[in-house]
Every structure is written in C-alpha cells, then in structure tokens.
Amino acid sequence: MGYVAKDEKTLWRGISLVAGHNCVPQSSYIEFLTTKKRFHKMEGRQFYHFVQSFAEGDRLTPQLANAIGVELAEKEFPDFEVLVATHIDTGHLHNHLIVNSVSCVDGKKLHQNTADLQHHRDVNDQICMKYHLSVLTKPQKYSRKKRMEPGEYQAGLRGESWKWFSSLTRP
C-alpha cells in the first residue's frame, strides 16, 4: 500500500490521485486491519492487488483515470474496502486497486477464481467503453486437441493409419 500511494507516482498538479472506496486513503491500512480483527479473520490472504491499465493513445486525464478506478471498485467490490491509486510516472496511466480480503459489511472473505477475473475484465471493458476508451480484444478460447501417440504418428507417416487419413480429410 505504501508503494502504490507514493506521492512521486500519484501526485498530479498538486492533486493526490489516491482514493478510497469504503475507506479513507490515509488510514486505509489501519481500516483494513480493523475490519479483519473485527471479524476474526487475520489469517490467510490479506489483500488482493489489481492493476487497471489504459492505452497510451486514450485521451483521458489522470483525474478521470482515478474516477474510473473508483467506479470499478464500487461495481466489483461494493462491500469491501478498496484503495485506488493512479500512477502517472510511466508512459501510460494505470490504477492500482488494493482490495481488503475481508468484507467490511458482513466479514465474508473474498475468494477470486478465473471466472471472477474474467467478470472484472468484462465490467472494466463496459466502463471504458462508456468513456470511449480502448479495450483489449477478447482472447480466443484455446481448444485442446487430443495428441497423437508416437506409434500412431509413425503409422500415419507410412500411410498405414486410418486415423491419420480420416483427420486429414475431415472438413
């Protein structure tokens, strides 16, 4: 949290680009720990760290980038404390979202899987499209094909495999 909120990364024209959702940025670490203690959930994963990047060609101000980060936090983590810090020290604007692993509302632990990450990306894309910003193209799903055993491959090379022939002639 100290790294993502550094002034040299987040201070723009005298304006701090660090915001909090369900917390005050300056005391977010203490608030995160207080929530964990309140619900007796001090073990395991403590935080989640997400990075939200914007294309260099997108026309947006650092303030809008920060507002978009807060909007993502509000939509995806409504019951959790989230620190949002916009970095302006690289060639492209990007946000760091630090999410408490324990809900400040009901004390439930946040668990993330691949489907959750895809959902975050989809919501992020919707928000970015609303502001006419670039989004990445959806990755194509990779379908695993059954591998041919070495013996089958050699038989295919010799022209002795019905499997090889049928797989070559299928549309």
Side-chain angles (χ1 to χ4, degrees), residues 7-8 11 28 32 35 49 55 82-83 93-94 102-103 107 109 122 125-128 139 144 151 155 158-159 162 167:
D7 281 348
E8 55 267 23
L11 201 57
S28 57
F32 282 27
T35 296
H49 182 182
V82 184
L83 180 70
L93 292 171
H94 61 280
V102 179
S103 166
K109 279 280 251 196
D122 293 341
D125 288 353
Q126 291 168 7
I127 294 169
C128 287
R144 286 185 157 205
R158 292 190 305 271
W162 64 271
S167 70

Side-chain angles (χ1 to χ4, degrees), residues 13-24:
R13 296 182 181 172
I15 300 167
S16 174
L17 298 170
V18 181
H21 168 64
N22 291 328
C23 64
V24 176

Side-chain angles (χ1 to χ4, degrees), residues 147-161:
R147 293 182 59 130
M148 196 178 288
E149 296 295 324
E152 291 175 297
Y153 181 75
Q154 292 302 322
L157 290 176
R158 292 190 305 271
E160 300 170 359
S161 171

Side-chain angles (χ1 to χ4, degrees), residues 76-158:
E76 290 301 284
F77 308 104
D79 297 340
F80 292 84
E81 296 147 326
V82 184
L83 180 70
V84 179
T86 304
H87 283 196
I88 59 170
D89 63 331
T90 62
H92 67 284
L93 292 171
H94 61 280
N95 290 322
H96 291 265
L97 286 81
I98 308 295
V99 183
N100 194 353
S101 63
V102 179
S103 166
C104 58
V105 173
D106 59 14
K108 290 184 179 175
K109 279 280 251 196
L110 179 64
H111 298 284
Q112 298 287 278
N113 59 34
T114 305
D116 295 323
L117 295 175
Q118 184 59 53
H119 184 264
H120 298 326
R121 179 178 172 179
D122 293 341
V123 170
N124 178 69
D125 288 353
Q126 291 168 7
I127 294 169
C128 287
M129 286 187 286
K130 179 174 88 172
Y131 292 99
H132 308 289
L133 302 174
S134 305
V135 296
L136 296 173
T137 57
K138 298 258 187 251
Q140 290 191 355
K141 291 196 175 194
Y142 176 73
S143 61
R144 286 185 157 205
K145 294 184 178 179
K146 187 176 176 186
R147 293 182 59 130
M148 196 178 288
E149 296 295 324
E152 291 175 297
Y153 181 75
Q154 292 302 322
L157 290 176
R158 292 190 305 271

